[in-house]
Short mmCIF file of all heavy atoms in Angstrom, two decimals:
data_model
loop_
_atom_site.label_atom_id
_atom_site.label_comp_id
_atom_site.label_asym_id
_atom_site.label_seq_id
_atom_site.Cartn_x
_atom_site.Cartn_y
_atom_site.Cartn_z
N ARG A 101 40.02 120.50 116.58
CA ARG A 101 41.35 119.92 116.35
C ARG A 101 41.88 120.28 114.98
O ARG A 101 43.08 120.54 114.81
CB ARG A 101 41.31 118.41 116.53
CG ARG A 101 41.25 118.02 117.99
CD ARG A 101 41.22 116.54 118.13
NE ARG A 101 39.91 116.08 117.65
CZ ARG A 101 39.28 115.04 118.15
NH1 ARG A 101 39.84 114.33 119.08
NH2 ARG A 101 38.10 114.70 117.70
N THR A 102 41.00 120.32 113.98
CA THR A 102 41.44 120.67 112.63
C THR A 102 41.95 122.11 112.60
O THR A 102 43.02 122.38 112.04
CB THR A 102 40.27 120.49 111.63
OG1 THR A 102 39.84 119.13 111.67
CG2 THR A 102 40.70 120.86 110.23
N LEU A 103 41.20 123.02 113.20
CA LEU A 103 41.62 124.42 113.20
C LEU A 103 42.85 124.64 114.06
O LEU A 103 43.71 125.47 113.73
CB LEU A 103 40.48 125.33 113.65
CG LEU A 103 39.27 125.37 112.71
CD1 LEU A 103 38.21 126.31 113.25
CD2 LEU A 103 39.67 125.77 111.30
N LEU A 104 42.96 123.90 115.15
CA LEU A 104 44.16 123.99 115.98
C LEU A 104 45.39 123.58 115.17
O LEU A 104 46.41 124.29 115.17
CB LEU A 104 44.03 123.11 117.22
CG LEU A 104 45.23 123.10 118.15
CD1 LEU A 104 45.42 124.47 118.80
CD2 LEU A 104 45.07 122.04 119.21
N ASN A 105 45.30 122.48 114.46
CA ASN A 105 46.42 122.04 113.60
C ASN A 105 46.69 123.06 112.50
O ASN A 105 47.84 123.39 112.22
CB ASN A 105 46.12 120.68 112.98
CG ASN A 105 46.35 119.54 113.92
OD1 ASN A 105 46.95 119.70 114.97
ND2 ASN A 105 45.86 118.38 113.56
N TYR A 106 45.64 123.55 111.88
CA TYR A 106 45.80 124.50 110.77
C TYR A 106 46.50 125.78 111.25
O TYR A 106 47.44 126.26 110.63
CB TYR A 106 44.44 124.84 110.17
CG TYR A 106 44.52 125.79 109.01
CD1 TYR A 106 44.89 125.34 107.75
CD2 TYR A 106 44.24 127.14 109.18
CE1 TYR A 106 44.96 126.21 106.68
CE2 TYR A 106 44.31 128.01 108.11
CZ TYR A 106 44.67 127.55 106.87
OH TYR A 106 44.75 128.42 105.81
N ARG A 107 46.05 126.30 112.39
CA ARG A 107 46.64 127.54 112.90
C ARG A 107 48.06 127.34 113.42
O ARG A 107 48.86 128.26 113.45
CB ARG A 107 45.76 128.12 114.00
CG ARG A 107 44.47 128.66 113.44
CD ARG A 107 43.58 129.22 114.52
NE ARG A 107 42.33 129.68 113.94
CZ ARG A 107 41.17 129.54 114.51
NH1 ARG A 107 41.08 128.99 115.70
NH2 ARG A 107 40.08 129.97 113.93
N ALA A 108 48.37 126.11 113.83
CA ALA A 108 49.72 125.80 114.30
C ALA A 108 50.65 125.48 113.13
O ALA A 108 51.84 125.26 113.34
CB ALA A 108 49.69 124.62 115.26
N GLY A 109 50.13 125.47 111.91
CA GLY A 109 50.94 125.17 110.74
C GLY A 109 51.08 123.69 110.46
O GLY A 109 51.84 123.28 109.60
N ALA A 110 50.34 122.87 111.18
CA ALA A 110 50.42 121.41 111.00
C ALA A 110 49.32 120.97 110.05
O ALA A 110 48.38 120.31 110.44
CB ALA A 110 50.31 120.72 112.35
N ASN A 111 49.43 121.36 108.79
CA ASN A 111 48.38 121.05 107.83
C ASN A 111 48.85 120.10 106.74
O ASN A 111 48.43 120.18 105.60
CB ASN A 111 47.79 122.34 107.24
CG ASN A 111 48.86 123.28 106.74
OD1 ASN A 111 50.04 122.93 106.71
ND2 ASN A 111 48.47 124.46 106.33
N SER A 112 49.73 119.18 107.11
CA SER A 112 50.20 118.17 106.16
C SER A 112 49.76 116.79 106.64
O SER A 112 49.17 116.63 107.71
CB SER A 112 51.72 118.21 106.04
OG SER A 112 52.32 117.76 107.24
N LEU A 113 50.08 115.78 105.86
CA LEU A 113 49.75 114.41 106.22
C LEU A 113 50.45 113.98 107.50
O LEU A 113 49.94 113.15 108.25
CB LEU A 113 50.15 113.48 105.06
CG LEU A 113 49.83 112.01 105.21
CD1 LEU A 113 48.34 111.80 105.38
CD2 LEU A 113 50.33 111.24 104.02
N LEU A 114 51.61 114.57 107.78
CA LEU A 114 52.36 114.22 108.98
C LEU A 114 51.55 114.47 110.25
O LEU A 114 51.62 113.68 111.21
CB LEU A 114 53.68 114.99 109.02
CG LEU A 114 54.59 114.71 110.20
CD1 LEU A 114 55.03 113.24 110.18
CD2 LEU A 114 55.80 115.63 110.18
N ALA A 115 50.76 115.53 110.28
CA ALA A 115 49.94 115.83 111.46
C ALA A 115 48.96 114.70 111.72
O ALA A 115 48.77 114.28 112.87
CB ALA A 115 49.21 117.15 111.27
N GLY A 116 48.33 114.19 110.69
CA GLY A 116 47.40 113.07 110.85
C GLY A 116 48.10 111.80 111.29
O GLY A 116 47.58 111.05 112.11
N LEU A 117 49.28 111.56 110.74
CA LEU A 117 50.04 110.37 111.13
C LEU A 117 50.47 110.42 112.59
O LEU A 117 50.38 109.44 113.32
CB LEU A 117 51.26 110.19 110.23
CG LEU A 117 50.95 109.81 108.78
CD1 LEU A 117 52.23 109.81 107.95
CD2 LEU A 117 50.26 108.47 108.71
N VAL A 118 50.93 111.59 113.04
CA VAL A 118 51.34 111.74 114.44
C VAL A 118 50.14 111.55 115.36
O VAL A 118 50.22 110.87 116.39
CB VAL A 118 52.02 113.11 114.68
CG1 VAL A 118 52.20 113.39 116.15
CG2 VAL A 118 53.36 113.16 113.95
N THR A 119 48.99 112.11 114.98
CA THR A 119 47.77 111.94 115.78
C THR A 119 47.38 110.47 115.83
O THR A 119 47.02 109.95 116.90
CB THR A 119 46.63 112.78 115.19
OG1 THR A 119 47.02 114.15 115.17
CG2 THR A 119 45.35 112.64 115.99
N GLY A 120 47.44 109.80 114.70
CA GLY A 120 47.12 108.38 114.66
C GLY A 120 48.05 107.55 115.52
O GLY A 120 47.61 106.63 116.23
N LEU A 121 49.34 107.87 115.47
CA LEU A 121 50.31 107.15 116.31
C LEU A 121 50.04 107.40 117.80
O LEU A 121 50.13 106.49 118.62
CB LEU A 121 51.74 107.56 115.95
CG LEU A 121 52.25 107.02 114.62
CD1 LEU A 121 53.61 107.65 114.29
CD2 LEU A 121 52.36 105.51 114.65
N PHE A 122 49.70 108.64 118.13
CA PHE A 122 49.39 108.99 119.52
C PHE A 122 48.18 108.22 120.01
O PHE A 122 48.21 107.60 121.08
CB PHE A 122 49.18 110.50 119.62
CG PHE A 122 48.95 110.98 121.01
CD1 PHE A 122 50.00 111.14 121.89
CD2 PHE A 122 47.67 111.29 121.45
CE1 PHE A 122 49.79 111.58 123.18
CE2 PHE A 122 47.45 111.73 122.73
CZ PHE A 122 48.52 111.87 123.60
N CYS A 123 47.10 108.24 119.22
CA CYS A 123 45.88 107.52 119.61
C CYS A 123 46.12 106.02 119.64
O CYS A 123 45.64 105.33 120.54
CB CYS A 123 44.74 107.84 118.64
SG CYS A 123 44.16 109.54 118.73
N GLY A 124 46.89 105.50 118.68
CA GLY A 124 47.23 104.09 118.68
C GLY A 124 48.06 103.70 119.88
O GLY A 124 47.88 102.62 120.45
N GLY A 125 48.95 104.60 120.30
CA GLY A 125 49.75 104.34 121.50
C GLY A 125 48.90 104.24 122.74
O GLY A 125 49.09 103.35 123.58
N VAL A 126 47.92 105.13 122.87
CA VAL A 126 47.00 105.07 124.01
C VAL A 126 46.19 103.77 123.94
O VAL A 126 45.99 103.09 124.95
CB VAL A 126 46.06 106.30 124.05
CG1 VAL A 126 44.97 106.13 125.08
CG2 VAL A 126 46.85 107.56 124.30
N PHE A 127 45.77 103.42 122.75
CA PHE A 127 44.98 102.20 122.57
C PHE A 127 45.78 100.96 122.93
O PHE A 127 45.30 100.07 123.62
CB PHE A 127 44.50 102.12 121.11
CG PHE A 127 43.77 100.87 120.78
CD1 PHE A 127 42.49 100.64 121.25
CD2 PHE A 127 44.35 99.91 119.98
CE1 PHE A 127 41.81 99.48 120.94
CE2 PHE A 127 43.68 98.74 119.66
CZ PHE A 127 42.41 98.53 120.14
N LEU A 128 47.02 100.87 122.46
CA LEU A 128 47.83 99.68 122.67
C LEU A 128 48.48 99.60 124.05
O LEU A 128 48.59 98.53 124.64
CB LEU A 128 48.91 99.58 121.59
CG LEU A 128 48.41 99.33 120.17
CD1 LEU A 128 49.56 99.42 119.18
CD2 LEU A 128 47.71 97.99 120.07
N PHE A 129 48.93 100.74 124.55
CA PHE A 129 49.73 100.74 125.78
C PHE A 129 49.03 101.38 126.97
O PHE A 129 49.59 101.46 128.05
CB PHE A 129 51.07 101.44 125.54
CG PHE A 129 51.82 100.88 124.38
CD1 PHE A 129 52.00 101.62 123.24
CD2 PHE A 129 52.33 99.60 124.43
CE1 PHE A 129 52.69 101.10 122.15
CE2 PHE A 129 53.02 99.06 123.35
CZ PHE A 129 53.19 99.81 122.21
N GLY A 130 47.81 101.88 126.74
CA GLY A 130 47.11 102.57 127.82
C GLY A 130 47.58 104.02 127.91
O GLY A 130 48.44 104.46 127.17
N GLY A 131 47.01 104.74 128.81
CA GLY A 131 47.31 106.16 128.93
C GLY A 131 48.35 106.49 129.97
O GLY A 131 48.42 107.62 130.43
N SER A 132 49.20 105.52 130.34
CA SER A 132 50.14 105.77 131.44
C SER A 132 51.13 106.88 131.13
O SER A 132 51.53 107.62 132.02
CB SER A 132 50.88 104.49 131.80
OG SER A 132 51.60 104.01 130.69
N TYR A 133 51.53 107.05 129.87
CA TYR A 133 52.47 108.12 129.56
C TYR A 133 51.81 109.49 129.54
O TYR A 133 52.47 110.52 129.57
CB TYR A 133 53.23 107.84 128.25
CG TYR A 133 52.34 107.72 127.03
CD1 TYR A 133 52.03 108.83 126.28
CD2 TYR A 133 51.85 106.49 126.62
CE1 TYR A 133 51.23 108.73 125.17
CE2 TYR A 133 51.06 106.38 125.51
CZ TYR A 133 50.75 107.50 124.78
OH TYR A 133 49.96 107.40 123.68
N LEU A 134 50.49 109.53 129.50
CA LEU A 134 49.77 110.81 129.59
C LEU A 134 49.82 111.38 131.00
O LEU A 134 49.51 112.54 131.22
CB LEU A 134 48.30 110.64 129.18
CG LEU A 134 48.04 110.24 127.74
CD1 LEU A 134 46.56 110.00 127.54
CD2 LEU A 134 48.56 111.28 126.78
N PHE A 135 50.25 110.54 131.93
CA PHE A 135 50.33 110.93 133.33
C PHE A 135 51.25 112.14 133.53
O PHE A 135 51.08 112.90 134.46
CB PHE A 135 50.84 109.73 134.14
CG PHE A 135 50.88 109.94 135.61
CD1 PHE A 135 49.72 110.16 136.33
CD2 PHE A 135 52.08 109.92 136.29
CE1 PHE A 135 49.75 110.34 137.69
CE2 PHE A 135 52.12 110.09 137.66
CZ PHE A 135 50.95 110.31 138.35
N TYR A 136 52.20 112.33 132.62
CA TYR A 136 53.16 113.42 132.76
C TYR A 136 52.76 114.68 131.98
O TYR A 136 53.54 115.61 131.87
CB TYR A 136 54.55 112.96 132.34
CG TYR A 136 55.08 111.91 133.29
CD1 TYR A 136 55.08 110.58 132.95
CD2 TYR A 136 55.55 112.28 134.55
CE1 TYR A 136 55.54 109.61 133.84
CE2 TYR A 136 56.00 111.34 135.45
CZ TYR A 136 56.00 110.00 135.08
OH TYR A 136 56.45 109.07 135.96
N LEU A 137 51.55 114.69 131.45
CA LEU A 137 51.07 115.86 130.71
C LEU A 137 50.36 116.80 131.68
O LEU A 137 49.38 116.43 132.32
CB LEU A 137 50.11 115.42 129.62
CG LEU A 137 49.70 116.45 128.59
CD1 LEU A 137 50.90 116.99 127.84
CD2 LEU A 137 48.72 115.84 127.60
#
Side-chain angles (χ1 to χ4, degrees):
R101 284 181 289 213
T102 301
L103 294 181
L104 179 67
N105 281 347
Y106 181 79
R107 290 179 183 142
N111 50 7
S112 69
L113 183 60
L114 181 62
L117 290 174
V118 169
T119 301
L121 287 172
F122 184 78
C123 292
V126 171
F127 176 72
L128 293 173
F129 306 112
S132 60
Y133 60 89
L134 296 175
F135 185 63
Y136 294 103
L137 191 59

